[in-house]
Structure formats: C-alpha cells, structure tokens
Amino acid sequence: MIYPIVVYGDPVLKRKAKDIEKGSIDVKELSEDMFETMKAAHGIGLAAPQVGKSLRMFIVDGRPLEEDDMMDFVKVFINAEIVDESGDEWNFEEGCLSIPGIREPISRRPKIRIKYFDENWEEHEDEYDGMKARIIQHEYDHIEGTLFTDHLSPFKKRLLKGKLTNISKGKCDADYRIKAPLKSR
Ligand code: NI
C-alpha cells in the first residue's frame, strides 16, 4: 500500500515519535508499505511520521545512489537510538520527501553508533560512517521531530519561509502523492 507523504507544516513531523511495543503493530507490513511508498517517490530514506504515524521506525535504501557500498544498504530501524556521534562535521546538500523542491547544505558528524531492532525484532548495535551515517541521521531526526530545515540559520529559514508555507498549502511540485496540512479542499 502506498501512503501519501505528509509534508511540511503537519504537526506529526514535529512530534517526538513513540517507541513501538513488540507485537502492537505488524512491523513487517508497515515496513513493506513504507518501502513501496519510498520507492514510488524515489527516496533513499523514509520515517514513519512521514506516512502520518508517530512511531520510532524508519527505513533506508541507498541503492538509487548507485554506489558500490550502497547496494546492500536496505534496512529497517525500529526503536533506534543513536548512542554516539563523532568526527568533524561535514556539509552535504540534503533534501526530504516532506519538503519537496528544497535542498540545503546541512552539517553533520561523519560517524555514528546506533542501537535498534530490525523487522524481525533482532537487536543490533552498528557503526556507520559517511553517506550511510548521514541518511540515518536525517531519518533519525524525523523520529525525534526534527526536519533538516531546523538545522538552518535563522536567516536562511527566513529566506525559505514563503516556499515552506506554499509546501504546507500543497503548492509544490512533487511527482508523488502528498498530504498537505493547509491544503484547502
Ligand atoms: Ni526527510
């Protein structure tokens, strides 16, 4: 099932998402639906709040980046907790399926250690660096109620205000189905 993607301005994107209790929902089904939704939107990561669910779950799929080390980077992260971030911050231009049409350089640390459960409820503690770490940090932000635009300077935010307001009204170009909070019907 393909969900519409919730866009900027919806309160679900600003809420700190809740842990999933094992057995309370079918995490396999939700992850399959999220992969289908992300694929249709040509994304490389998607978090549950972006499909309207305030749950600590996100998925990643690095294959569209067409880099050798990304071919097996297809994963589900449940109840994730970043336990360490290290290294000197680096800038990279990020985008977000919930903020169509805007890309901005965001500064993040290059190395992370993360604890999480996979879709079979097996527990992991892994280290990631570079682009993989960045994708995870961006999605992890979503379950913490943070958007990449929250990392921008007040000046930059002011410059983008009009565009962001338009997105929340559904006035934006996205080649996938969106759910805009202020769209008049
Ligand atoms: Ni995003």
Side-chain angles (χ1 to χ4, degrees), residues 45 50 95-98 138-139 142 147-148:
Q50 294 181 278
C96 180
L97 294 176
S98 294
H138 177 111
E139 298 313 321
H142 275 299
L147 298 171
F148 81 82

PDB file of all heavy atoms in Angstrom, residues 45 50 95-98 138-139 142 147-148, ligand 1:
ATOM      1  N   GLY A  45      15.331   7.285   1.936  1.00  0.00           N
ATOM      2  CA  GLY A  45      15.011   7.080   3.342  1.00  0.00           C
ATOM      3  C   GLY A  45      13.593   7.576   3.592  1.00  0.00           C
ATOM      4  O   GLY A  45      13.114   8.478   2.900  1.00  0.00           O
ATOM      5  N   GLN A  50       6.436  10.438   8.414  1.00  0.00           N
ATOM      6  CA  GLN A  50       6.182  10.946   7.058  1.00  0.00           C
ATOM      7  C   GLN A  50       5.009  10.230   6.384  1.00  0.00           C
ATOM      8  O   GLN A  50       4.536  10.675   5.337  1.00  0.00           O
ATOM      9  CB  GLN A  50       7.430  10.794   6.192  1.00  0.00           C
ATOM     10  CG  GLN A  50       8.585  11.664   6.653  1.00  0.00           C
ATOM     11  CD  GLN A  50       9.790  11.486   5.753  1.00  0.00           C
ATOM     12  OE1 GLN A  50      10.556  10.535   5.916  1.00  0.00           O
ATOM     13  NE2 GLN A  50       9.961  12.374   4.780  1.00  0.00           N
ATOM     14  N   GLY A  95      17.927  16.804   0.983  1.00  0.00           N
ATOM     15  CA  GLY A  95      16.549  17.062   0.596  1.00  0.00           C
ATOM     16  C   GLY A  95      15.669  16.164   1.439  1.00  0.00           C
ATOM     17  O   GLY A  95      16.177  15.359   2.225  1.00  0.00           O
ATOM     18  N   CYS A  96      14.355  16.294   1.285  1.00  0.00           N
ATOM     19  CA  CYS A  96      13.445  15.494   2.103  1.00  0.00           C
ATOM     20  C   CYS A  96      12.136  15.336   1.339  1.00  0.00           C
ATOM     21  O   CYS A  96      11.634  16.313   0.781  1.00  0.00           O
ATOM     22  CB  CYS A  96      13.207  16.209   3.438  1.00  0.00           C
ATOM     23  SG  CYS A  96      12.110  15.319   4.545  1.00  0.00           S
ATOM     24  N   LEU A  97      11.589  14.132   1.330  1.00  0.00           N
ATOM     25  CA  LEU A  97      10.321  13.907   0.623  1.00  0.00           C
ATOM     26  C   LEU A  97       9.196  14.749   1.220  1.00  0.00           C
ATOM     27  O   LEU A  97       8.223  15.046   0.544  1.00  0.00           O
ATOM     28  CB  LEU A  97       9.940  12.424   0.652  1.00  0.00           C
ATOM     29  CG  LEU A  97      10.888  11.477  -0.115  1.00  0.00           C
ATOM     30  CD1 LEU A  97      10.447  10.030   0.072  1.00  0.00           C
ATOM     31  CD2 LEU A  97      10.959  11.835  -1.586  1.00  0.00           C
ATOM     32  N   SER A  98       9.344  15.179   2.483  1.00  0.00           N
ATOM     33  CA  SER A  98       8.322  16.008   3.121  1.00  0.00           C
ATOM     34  C   SER A  98       8.519  17.501   2.847  1.00  0.00           C
ATOM     35  O   SER A  98       7.713  18.322   3.287  1.00  0.00           O
ATOM     36  CB  SER A  98       8.312  15.765   4.644  1.00  0.00           C
ATOM     37  OG  SER A  98       7.891  14.456   4.922  1.00  0.00           O
ATOM     38  N   HIS A 138      19.526  11.782   9.152  1.00  0.00           N
ATOM     39  CA  HIS A 138      18.374  12.531   8.628  1.00  0.00           C
ATOM     40  C   HIS A 138      17.070  11.831   9.041  1.00  0.00           C
ATOM     41  O   HIS A 138      16.136  12.488   9.523  1.00  0.00           O
ATOM     42  CB  HIS A 138      18.479  12.636   7.096  1.00  0.00           C
ATOM     43  CG  HIS A 138      17.314  13.325   6.452  1.00  0.00           C
ATOM     44  ND1 HIS A 138      17.418  14.565   5.850  1.00  0.00           N
ATOM     45  CD2 HIS A 138      16.007  12.964   6.331  1.00  0.00           C
ATOM     46  CE1 HIS A 138      16.219  14.913   5.385  1.00  0.00           C
ATOM     47  NE2 HIS A 138      15.351  13.963   5.664  1.00  0.00           N
ATOM     48  N   GLU A 139      17.015  10.506   8.878  1.00  0.00           N
ATOM     49  CA  GLU A 139      15.794   9.767   9.233  1.00  0.00           C
ATOM     50  C   GLU A 139      15.584   9.746  10.745  1.00  0.00           C
ATOM     51  O   GLU A 139      14.463   9.841  11.234  1.00  0.00           O
ATOM     52  CB  GLU A 139      15.839   8.340   8.673  1.00  0.00           C
ATOM     53  CG  GLU A 139      15.908   8.262   7.155  1.00  0.00           C
ATOM     54  CD  GLU A 139      14.910   9.153   6.447  1.00  0.00           C
ATOM     55  OE1 GLU A 139      13.764   9.278   6.908  1.00  0.00           O
ATOM     56  OE2 GLU A 139      15.284   9.755   5.423  1.00  0.00           O
ATOM     57  N   HIS A 142      13.860  12.641  11.965  1.00  0.00           N
ATOM     58  CA  HIS A 142      12.403  12.594  11.774  1.00  0.00           C
ATOM     59  C   HIS A 142      11.697  11.979  12.982  1.00  0.00           C
ATOM     60  O   HIS A 142      10.641  12.464  13.391  1.00  0.00           O
ATOM     61  CB  HIS A 142      12.040  11.774  10.532  1.00  0.00           C
ATOM     62  CG  HIS A 142      12.074  12.554   9.248  1.00  0.00           C
ATOM     63  ND1 HIS A 142      11.273  13.633   9.016  1.00  0.00           N
ATOM     64  CD2 HIS A 142      12.804  12.387   8.119  1.00  0.00           C
ATOM     65  CE1 HIS A 142      11.517  14.118   7.798  1.00  0.00           C
ATOM     66  NE2 HIS A 142      12.441  13.374   7.229  1.00  0.00           N
ATOM     67  N   LEU A 147      13.264  18.399  11.440  1.00  0.00           N
ATOM     68  CA  LEU A 147      13.403  18.398   9.981  1.00  0.00           C
ATOM     69  C   LEU A 147      14.741  19.031   9.616  1.00  0.00           C
ATOM     70  O   LEU A 147      15.303  19.789  10.410  1.00  0.00           O
ATOM     71  CB  LEU A 147      12.265  19.201   9.344  1.00  0.00           C
ATOM     72  CG  LEU A 147      10.869  18.630   9.608  1.00  0.00           C
ATOM     73  CD1 LEU A 147       9.807  19.611   9.116  1.00  0.00           C
ATOM     74  CD2 LEU A 147      10.700  17.280   8.925  1.00  0.00           C
ATOM     75  N   PHE A 148      15.243  18.751   8.396  1.00  0.00           N
ATOM     76  CA  PHE A 148      16.560  19.294   8.063  1.00  0.00           C
ATOM     77  C   PHE A 148      16.564  20.819   8.079  1.00  0.00           C
ATOM     78  O   PHE A 148      17.567  21.446   8.389  1.00  0.00           O
ATOM     79  CB  PHE A 148      17.120  18.694   6.755  1.00  0.00           C
ATOM     80  CG  PHE A 148      16.617  19.295   5.475  1.00  0.00           C
ATOM     81  CD1 PHE A 148      17.169  20.473   4.988  1.00  0.00           C
ATOM     82  CD2 PHE A 148      15.619  18.675   4.743  1.00  0.00           C
ATOM     83  CE1 PHE A 148      16.725  21.023   3.787  1.00  0.00           C
ATOM     84  CE2 PHE A 148      15.174  19.215   3.549  1.00  0.00           C
ATOM     85  CZ  PHE A 148      15.720  20.400   3.078  1.00  0.00           C
TER      86      PHE A 148
HETATM   87 NI    NI B   1      13.304  13.608   5.339  1.00  0.00          NI
END
